[in-house]
Amino acid sequence: MMPLLVREFTDGEDLYNYSMGCVAQRWPEARVVYRYINRDPEHRFRPGLAAELEAQLEGLAKLRFDDAAFDFFRNTMPWLPLPYLQWLRQYRLDPAQVRVAQDGGRLDLSISGRWFETIYWEVKLLAVLSELSRRDPRTGELPALPDGWREKIHEKARRLSSAGVQWIDFGTRRRHSLEVQDAVVSIMKEYPGFRGTSNPYLAREHGLKAFGTYAHQLPMAMQALYGPRSADRMAMQHWVETYRGNLGIALADTLTTATFLGAFESLYAHLFNGVRQDSGDPIAFGERVIRHYEMLGIDPTTKVIVFSDGLDVDTALRIQDHFAGRVRTTMGIGTHLTADEAMTGVRPMNHVIKLVSADFGNGPIDVVKLSDDPGKASGDPDMVSTVRRLLAV
């Protein structure tokens, strides 16, 4: 029998969905639609996987934000309002918000409902799908991991630490399994430079800091409320109003970095501790951000850039070396830590769940992500083209 693959409410999750979930409560009637995107055109799901996933949904609906989770959030994340944490204690995932269908090897998955309720599905579903697709449907077992897989984690940690890299585990959504991600965090916490994980459950279990600010869906949702030209600025404005200088990393590439920097005026550049890069050339991005800070009269060495676009150790070391002494850097490393094929023997999933429409009371409006990498654009193709023309990017 297939076991429940996420057994703790704050596992199978990134902290940013909690920080964004708090902001989403500003609009309790806002309704959204998310859609699953498999970026690997060769991947085929096995027959019957949709039914297996639906069984997992029923299990997820029984999870609770329990006393241990409440105490950890309350003690380590004082910027999250107490009423929000108390609301989480009574919140339950609703499987009726998730639609799953399978056509051969293709999976059609969407999520719809109130934004402040549906936001917690994304990473859990991705983590479950990543692991479920690897398990034997008859026995529920994973293939045995290759000999020496733990030593590969040590090797990565040694290289990063000896080079002076600061890094965070961002590997929940595509992890091979909880066992592997737990080993990554357990091993890497012993190495200087490892700052923590985006997974709140593992942060709690290992006495580490949980990391996460906001993701693409926040400025994407703001497109429906304020229009594409104002989306980045209003995402930052609502963030500042909510967190008053805490959680100060802004995401740059939702509507391209060019659009973001146009909104990243002196006020926000001073208030936010730094920015996160999630697509495009990391060196070119970093140089562009440094120039922007300098143009605003801000010393770049007082700011941080979080690089998080498909990093491996070699890329992290190259970025670290290039920007040493010029801007502070942190590496958010995901798949390479928790689902590296060389470590697990299994090809990792390359999939995402993205917001596709939002309704703030005037009817559903399609929203898009443009990215600095055209291959990562998402949304209705006609809408993508329209927004590109509107923003001249």
Side-chain angles (χ1 to χ4, degrees), residues 243-279:
Y243 293 117
R244 315 299 296 177
N246 292 300
L247 297 175
I249 301 295
L251 180 61
D253 71 325
T254 305
L255 294 168
T256 74
T257 295
T259 302
F260 169 80
L261 291 179
F264 199 51
E265 60 190 79
S266 182
L267 171 66
Y268 301 119
H270 279 91
L271 285 174
F272 280 83
N273 299 329
V275 298
R276 178 162 74 91
Q277 184 254 358
D278 199 48
S279 63

Side-chain angles (χ1 to χ4, degrees), residues 14-27:
D14 285 338
L15 182 62
Y16 70 37
N17 277 338
Y18 293 99
S19 52
M20 289 191 298
C22 179
V23 176
Q25 293 198 348
R26 286 172 172 253
W27 304 280

Side-chain angles (χ1 to χ4, degrees), residues 210-222:
F211 286 88
T213 57
Y214 69 83
H216 296 108
Q217 72 167 289
L218 180 60
M220 289 174 77
M222 294 301 97

Side-chain angles (χ1 to χ4, degrees), residues 5-14 16-18 53 56-57 59-61 63-65 91 93 109 111 118-132 172-175 199-201 351 353:
L5 302 185
V6 172
R7 296 180 294 277
E8 293 280 347
F9 185 83
T10 59
D11 178 37
E13 188 59 279
D14 285 338
Y16 70 37
N17 277 338
Y18 293 99
L53 179 58
Q56 294 289 322
L57 300 182
L60 291 172
L63 301 180
R64 305 289 186 265
F65 188 81
Y91 169 77
L93 290 159
L109 188 158
I111 307 160
T118 55
I119 195 169
Y120 306 100
W121 279 113
E122 174 212 4
V123 180
K124 281 183 170 59
L125 287 175
L126 292 173
V128 166
L129 271 173
S130 291
E131 184 171 347
L132 188 62
T172 302
R173 70 191 54 219
R174 296 171 188 165
R175 70 187 185 191
N199 184 313
Y201 168 70
H351 58 180
I353 291 174

Side-chain angles (χ1 to χ4, degrees), residues 67-80:
D67 289 346
F70 178 88
D71 290 344
F72 176 69
F73 275 59
R74 185 67 175 149
N75 293 331
T76 64
M77 307 169 205
W79 51 83
L80 288 173

Side-chain angles (χ1 to χ4, degrees), residues 332-360:
I333 309 177
T335 306
H336 184 64
L337 298 187
T338 64
D340 182 8
E341 187 172 0
M343 178 178 74
T344 67
V346 180
R347 181 177 176 178
M349 296 287 294
N350 183 7
H351 58 180
V352 294
I353 291 174
K354 290 297 180 186
L355 194 70
V356 294
S357 74
D359 180 356
F360 285 86

